[in-house]
Amino acid sequence: MKTFRTPSNSSTITGFILLGFPCSREGQILLFVLFSTVYLLTLMGNGSIVCAVRYDQRLHTPMYILLANFSFLEIWYVTSTVPNMLANFLSDTKIISFSGCFLQFYFFFSLGSTECFFLAVMAFDRYLAICRPLHYPTLMTGHLCTNLVVSCWVFGFLWFLIPITVISQMSFCGPRIIDHFLCDPGPLLALTCIRNPVIELTSSTLSSLLLFISFLFIMGSYALVLRAVLKVPSAAGRRKAFSTCGSHLAVVSLFYGSVMVMYVSPPSDHEAGMQKIVTLFYSVVTPLINPVIYSLRNTDMKHAMQKLLGI
């Protein structure tokens, strides 16, 4: 097992300490109850969308298949951080092992990367549906939809594989304390014995490329969608088109708005408290809100959910 060396090399440590949200014992219990509730609601909300798409034949279309995969992704995305955070609320030591830390690091960033790819593919699907409606059935076939879904998962889990593997092999010195509720690359790299500018630059470049390329692709798709919608002669047709895209745009705004604040602005601007709040927003709050956005703004999904729940 990889060890953590102190400057004096007099002892070895086999893990990190995740400070999380330091407060009194009563406060920790209150946070445990709060985040347990949020976690359960997130699982229920996203799980309901997956089940609704699975069991309602009317939703077996590319748009809803992509949405079901996205909701399935959100379940695992929030699961990569919240269970460990809940355990830390009740723990006195708050230690996470090296393997546990880097597994969390890998799955959190891989699932986040997959989310970026899915949001881009969902924007592409809306572009085809609105800008190429007559050709949509022949363009967005079941085969293409399956390939896009598989590609999102594969590329998402390969995107950060090399830098995460390299970071996991580095030696760590000094305090083992990470002032965060998850294993984030910034605090981890700050604990390495010898700084490695190459891996820091590689990690930063991969993050920026992923965010900017996918975001620009989404914005480009919706610019074309907006141009097409404004040409629709009837007001009812324009409203329907805007309603179809509104949910996705809301999710994109929530996710990219918070992620770019965290990973695009200069690291020196990030205080530990702000890091936690922003990370909490895109890793915990948005997976909770997304099912509400999609179910409230989509009539077909609303009916499917009501049928699933027997309402």
Side-chain angles (χ1 to χ4, degrees), residues 4 14-18 80-81 84 95-109 164 167-168 172 176 178 180-185 187-189 191:
F4 187 106
T14 58
F16 298 100
I17 296 176
L18 287 175
S80 67
T81 57
N84 183 73
I95 292 178
I96 183 171
S97 66
F98 273 103
S99 58
C101 183
F102 284 101
L103 278 174
Q104 183 188 65
F105 183 7
Y106 174 67
F107 280 104
F108 180 71
F109 274 82
I164 290 175
I167 294 173
S168 69
F172 298 86
R176 56 177 175 154
I178 298 175
H180 213 309
F181 62 86
L182 56 82
C183 290
D184 198 62
L188 279 173
L189 289 171
L191 297 178

Side-chain angles (χ1 to χ4, degrees), residues 151-201:
S151 297
C152 287
W153 286 103
V154 171
F155 283 113
F157 275 79
L158 291 177
W159 193 260
F160 282 102
L161 179 60
I162 292 176
I164 290 175
T165 302
V166 173
I167 294 173
S168 69
Q169 299 304 310
M170 298 172 74
S171 298
F172 298 86
C173 299
R176 56 177 175 154
I177 297 172
I178 298 175
D179 192 4
H180 213 309
F181 62 86
L182 56 82
C183 290
D184 198 62
L188 279 173
L189 289 171
L191 297 178
T192 56
C193 299
I194 302 174
R195 287 196 59 186
N196 189 330
V198 175
I199 194 62
E200 291 180 16
L201 179 61

Side-chain angles (χ1 to χ4, degrees), residues 23-178:
C23 59
S24 64
R25 185 64 177 174
E26 292 76 13
Q28 295 283 308
I29 294 174
L30 182 61
L31 288 173
F32 174 83
V33 173
L34 173 63
F35 283 104
S36 294
T37 304
V38 169
Y39 182 54
L40 290 175
L41 289 174
T42 303
L43 297 183
M44 291 170 58
N46 287 285
S48 296
I49 289 179
V50 174
C51 292
V53 174
R54 171 67 178 83
Y55 295 109
D56 194 322
Q57 293 293 326
R58 296 172 302 172
L59 302 184
H60 289 183
T61 62
M63 182 177 82
Y64 292 108
I65 291 171
L66 290 171
L67 176 58
N69 273 273
F70 184 76
S71 295
F72 180 72
L73 164 68
E74 292 287 63
I75 291 173
W76 290 106
Y77 188 47
V78 74
T79 300
S80 67
T81 57
V82 174
N84 183 73
M85 182 167 59
L86 293 176
N88 272 2
F89 286 138
L90 303 180
S91 171
D92 293 325
T93 59
K94 304 186 186 302
I95 292 178
I96 183 171
S97 66
F98 273 103
S99 58
C101 183
F102 284 101
L103 278 174
Q104 183 188 65
F105 183 7
Y106 174 67
F107 280 104
F108 180 71
F109 274 82
S110 296
L111 291 165
S113 302
T114 306
E115 181 159 347
C116 291
F117 289 124
F118 263 111
L119 289 172
V121 168
M122 291 165 79
F124 175 66
D125 174 70
R126 291 302 83 207
Y127 158 75
L128 290 180
I130 294 173
C131 298
R132 306 286 296 278
L134 298 179
H135 300 91
Y136 180 75
T138 57
L139 291 173
M140 185 56 77
T141 61
H143 180 69
L144 176 60
C145 183
T146 300
N147 285 340
L148 289 173
V149 167
V150 172
S151 297
C152 287
W153 286 103
V154 171
F155 283 113
F157 275 79
L158 291 177
W159 193 260
F160 282 102
L161 179 60
I162 292 176
I164 290 175
T165 302
V166 173
I167 294 173
S168 69
Q169 299 304 310
M170 298 172 74
S171 298
F172 298 86
C173 299
R176 56 177 175 154
I177 297 172
I178 298 175

